[in-house]
Amino acid sequence: MHTIQRNLSAYRDEIKGIAILWVIFFHAQLGLTGVLNAVQQIGYGGVDMFLFLSGYGLYHSLKKDADPARYLARRAKRLLPSYVPFCLIWLIVMIPLHGGGMATSIRIAAGNLTMLGFFAGVPLMINWYVSALALTLLLAPLMHAHLKAHRGFGMLAGLFVLGLAFVGDDRYMAVSRLPVFALGMMFARPCEKERRGISALMAAGCLLGLAALYVCFARFHELLNDYAMYWHPFVLIAPALCAGLGWLFAKAPTKLLAPLRVLGSASFEIFLFNVWLEVLGKKHGLCESPIDWVIGSIAALALGLAWHFAVSAVMRKSCKNG
């Protein structure tokens, strides 16, 4: 367990780099077949990897300073300078395309700016994950306090049951992801001694999750949408993928990992531009062929990187001047 924790801490950005590439791959319509198509079909699992890693990172952040006000200030300082300007541009472009009256436009603007509109059924949200991310950030201090006194399995079961309360509701997509976030926090807790066999247990869980996905895709397709079997297996798959990538990266030359580290550090901004591409490509006909999707995906990745570095530069300059 110590080795897994060390690798997750050391290579969290690199793992996030893999996760964002997987999400970009998932969103693109490339007309693939065979193994590549299978890998692409479950690329939404990159989001579950993000949530697991987010839980892991937030536990350590709260361990250093658990004051809720200072914690929220730290998270706001990281996310809002990138998110709010992007959101304003999104609203200026997308509200006229959506149409509707003034009341609808106000709902869309408020829902996106607060990041929580998905849970209120607000139309034209940037993406459901934005609201899921905001929810996990708000719940993290409570989860951290609970984990200081308890092992966390009761909390994990409670979150799973909470998700079931939303079966048949669009919000199920976000609420039922809370267990994988909680697992990330649980994995970050200090261990007094090395737990043998944890790697084998995680590998077995990953295989079980993949087997469940295969059975549902092949025989019980209705379970994928109706009962969230698209993503429930990633409670088992995402931790193992993250741990496995951490182990692999620990053996790789540092220079080879530099591009993934950069992508991971800018993954939030890249995600924002990529989901905008998905909306424009699928609903507004921006991308009509596989080559369009390749070009658009590269453009979204480049824009996300540029946005991340521009915002970081502005924030550094602001801190110096302040």
Side-chain angles (χ1 to χ4, degrees):
M1 189 67 171
H2 291 160
T3 302
I4 293 172
Q5 290 176 326
R6 184 169 59 249
N7 290 339
L8 289 175
S9 296
Y11 301 103
R12 199 160 67 95
D13 276 342
E14 288 84 348
I15 300 169
K16 287 164 64 179
I18 292 291
I20 192 60
L21 289 175
W22 201 14
V23 169
I24 291 172
F25 185 45
F26 168 68
H27 285 155
Q29 295 187 338
L30 303 175
L32 300 172
T33 59
V35 175
L36 285 177
N37 179 57
V39 173
Q40 184 183 31
Q41 277 190 298
I42 60 171
Y44 55 83
V47 171
D48 295 278
M49 292 171 67
F50 281 129
L51 287 169
F52 176 80
L53 293 170
S54 177
Y56 187 90
L58 290 182
Y59 183 94
H60 284 291
S61 177
L62 286 161
K63 182 182 175 183
K64 294 175 183 176
D65 182 359
D67 180 80
R70 289 194 293 270
Y71 156 77
L72 289 174
R74 292 195 302 273
R75 301 321 303 159
K77 186 177 180 181
R78 164 63 185 96
L79 295 176
L80 295 187
S82 290
Y83 180 76
V84 172
F86 175 90
C87 184
L88 291 172
I89 297 171
W90 161 276
L91 294 170
I92 291 169
V93 174
M94 298 303 293
I95 286 179
L97 291 176
H98 179 76
M102 179 62 71
T104 300
S105 298
I106 291 172
R107 285 190 70 213
I108 291 171
N112 278 287
L113 287 169
T114 61
M115 302 177 76
L116 290 167
F118 178 75
F119 297 114
V122 172
L124 203 66
M125 285 296 294
I126 291 173
N127 189 262
W128 68 268
Y129 173 70
V130 170
S131 291
L133 176 62
L135 178 62
T136 58
L137 294 178
L138 293 173
L139 290 178
L142 296 175
M143 292 184 179
H144 177 261
H146 179 84
L147 288 172
K148 288 175 66 177
H150 305 280
R151 298 186 66 181
F153 294 108
M155 178 181 71
L156 201 63
L159 290 173
F160 182 78
V161 173
L162 175 65
L164 293 178
F166 289 85
V167 169
D169 188 296
D170 287 343
R171 291 169 291 184
Y172 190 35
M173 184 181 298
V175 179
S176 61
R177 252 48 183 253
L178 289 174
V180 76
F181 174 80
L183 270 178
M185 298 197 81
M186 291 170 66
F187 263 80
R189 289 183 304 177
C191 296
E192 294 181 1
K193 59 181 181 179
E194 185 71 29
R195 296 178 181 175
R196 295 181 179 179
I198 188 68
S199 296
L201 184 63
M202 292 174 70
C206 183
L207 291 174
L208 179 62
L210 289 171
L213 273 180
Y214 175 79
V215 170
C216 289
F217 269 101
R219 299 290 300 275
F220 303 103
H221 211 268
E222 68 279 3
L223 296 179
L224 293 171
N225 280 317
D226 295 345
Y227 297 100
M229 285 303 292
Y230 268 119
W231 57 85
H232 275 319
F234 275 91
V235 172
L236 299 173
I237 298 169
L241 279 180
C242 292
L245 287 169
W247 173 83
L248 184 65
F249 292 155
K251 299 182 178 300
T254 303
K255 290 182 179 180
L256 293 179
L257 300 178
L260 287 176
R261 190 177 308 116
V262 173
L263 290 176
S265 66
S267 56
F268 179 64
E269 292 84 356
I270 294 171
F271 179 83
L272 292 176
F273 280 95
N274 182 249
V275 294
W276 196 355
L277 169 71
E278 183 194 21
V279 171
L280 292 174
K282 294 179 180 178
K283 294 184 179 180
H284 297 279
L286 180 67
C287 300
E288 297 182 348
S289 68
I291 190 64
D292 290 340
W293 279 103
V294 171
I295 294 171
S297 297
I298 293 172
L301 194 154
L303 285 169
L305 285 169
W307 190 261
H308 171 76
F309 288 120
V311 170
S312 298
V314 170
M315 293 300 294
R316 283 195 300 269
K317 187 174 181 180
S318 175
C319 290
K320 287 181 180 178
N321 293 339

